[in-house]
């Protein structure tokens, strides 16, 4: 199980632009630190997801009302209701975008009435990622045909990818001199495209992307594809600064599900070097992933099931 809480530090009603985060990853899981602009909301079945922007307007990046892991929203649920982790509803993004994009606040129930039921008998949840686009930001769109290259430049600002697909969703784009059978499949969608581009471009000033199978894979053999992206150039980037951390155990409740009492009873389990390890690996980065295990941090208390607990802030790089 993976926990994250975040808030913006505000003084006298003025945002300082520093995001403070508390994060916990159970032993054996990967802790993902991010100072990306993206916020995540999860609402269990029949609960309500609330999206909010103090500044700017909502832009939904991804959404799924279904189930892709057995841990989220699983408390008190029988195994047969959480075992299907291939439960996806492709229309979820369109539903969220139509209701929430461009607004400062948006609430939407996580239920089958709104999203439909992609997998009957499975206890579902709504998982939404969104960003708050500054009012001054202009959403830019670029298309390049297969084997071509897109070059994006934000000058002294930073790239943030909003949407992307390497495939084909209409028969007109990049169709010149192409036979009909190469442009007829208009349901060629590669869901991993955005993640590939975000990893390569987010936070950079300049980025070049080749529209090729080597980069993205081939979602539909025989179809002539194109890369379609949208992005903004935002004025400031955010960087990680770890302020406190411990790999061990300080209470009997965190990361305790299914564990015997003797593995969670030691609540004086501290690893003093945890902070040093994390500051070395993560400080000054926009994103950082660290495995919560004894190979990385050492084992401060054998036989105890441990977890990584971290506090960090996201703010401008002091060097700049």
């Amino acid at each position: 199980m993976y926990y994250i809480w975040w808030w913006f530090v505000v003084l006298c009603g003025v945002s300082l632009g520093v995001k403070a985060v508390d994060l916990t990853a159970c032993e054996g899981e990967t802790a993902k630190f991010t100072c990306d602009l993206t916020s995540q909301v999860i609402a269990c079945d029949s609960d309500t997801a609330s999206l909010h922007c103090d500044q700017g307007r909502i832009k939904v990046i991804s959404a799924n009302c279904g189930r892709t892991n057995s841990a989220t929203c699983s408390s008190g649920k029988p195994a047969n209701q959480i075992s299907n982790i291939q439960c996806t509803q492709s229309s979820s993004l369109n539903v969220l975008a139509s209701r929430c994009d461009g607004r400062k606040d948006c609430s939407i129930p996580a239920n089958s009435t709104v999203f439909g039921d992609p997998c009957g008998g499975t206890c579902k949840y709504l998982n939404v990622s969104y960003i708050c686009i500054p009012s001054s930001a202009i959403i830019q769109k670029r298309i390049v045909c297969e084997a071509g290259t897109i070059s994006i430049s934000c000058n002294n600002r930073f790239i943030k990818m909003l949407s992307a697909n390497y495939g084909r969703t209409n028969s007109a784009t990049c169709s010149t001199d192409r036979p009909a059978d190469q442009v007829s499949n208009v349901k060629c969608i590669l869901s991993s495209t955005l993640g590939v581009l975000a990893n390569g471009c987010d936070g950079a000033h300049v980025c070049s992307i080749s529209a090729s199978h080597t980069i993205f894979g081939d979602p539909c053999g025989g179809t002539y594809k194109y890369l379609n992206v949208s992005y903004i150039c935002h004025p400031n980037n955010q960087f990680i600064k770890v302020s406190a951390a411990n790999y061990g155990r300080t209470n009997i409740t965190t990361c305790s599900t299914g564990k015997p009492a003797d593995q969670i009873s030691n609540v004086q389990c501290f690893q003093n070097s945890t902070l040093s390890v994390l500051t070395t690996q993560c400080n000054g980065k926009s994103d950082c992933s660290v495995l919560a295990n004894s190979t990385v941090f050492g084992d401060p208390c054998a036989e105890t099931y441990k977890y990584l607990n971290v506090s960090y802030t996201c703010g401008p790089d002091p060097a700049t």
Side-chain angles (χ1 to χ4, degrees), residues 177-233:
D177 298 328
R178 293 287 162 182
D181 63 339
Q182 290 188 10
V183 298
S184 59
N185 179 2
V186 295
K187 294 184 178 181
C188 178
I189 297 172
L190 186 60
S191 59
S192 60
T193 309
L194 180 59
V196 172
L197 287 174
N199 287 336
C201 297
D202 279 6
H205 296 295
V206 178
C207 186
S208 293
I209 314 111
S210 297
S212 73
H213 305 342
T214 304
I215 304 275
F216 298 103
D218 188 351
C220 43
T223 293
Y224 185 67
K225 291 164 280 290
Y226 54 88
L227 178 61
N228 187 355
V229 305
S230 69
Y231 66 96
I232 60 170
C233 296

Side-chain angles (χ1 to χ4, degrees), residues 6 39 41 50-58 103-106 130-132:
W6 61 270
S39 298
V41 172
S50 296
L51 287 62
H52 172 73
C53 288
D54 285 323
Q55 298 179 355
R57 58 192 188 274
I58 295 167
R103 299 175 60 181
K104 295 185 71 68
D105 293 278
C106 182
Y130 71 98
I131 69 169
C132 296

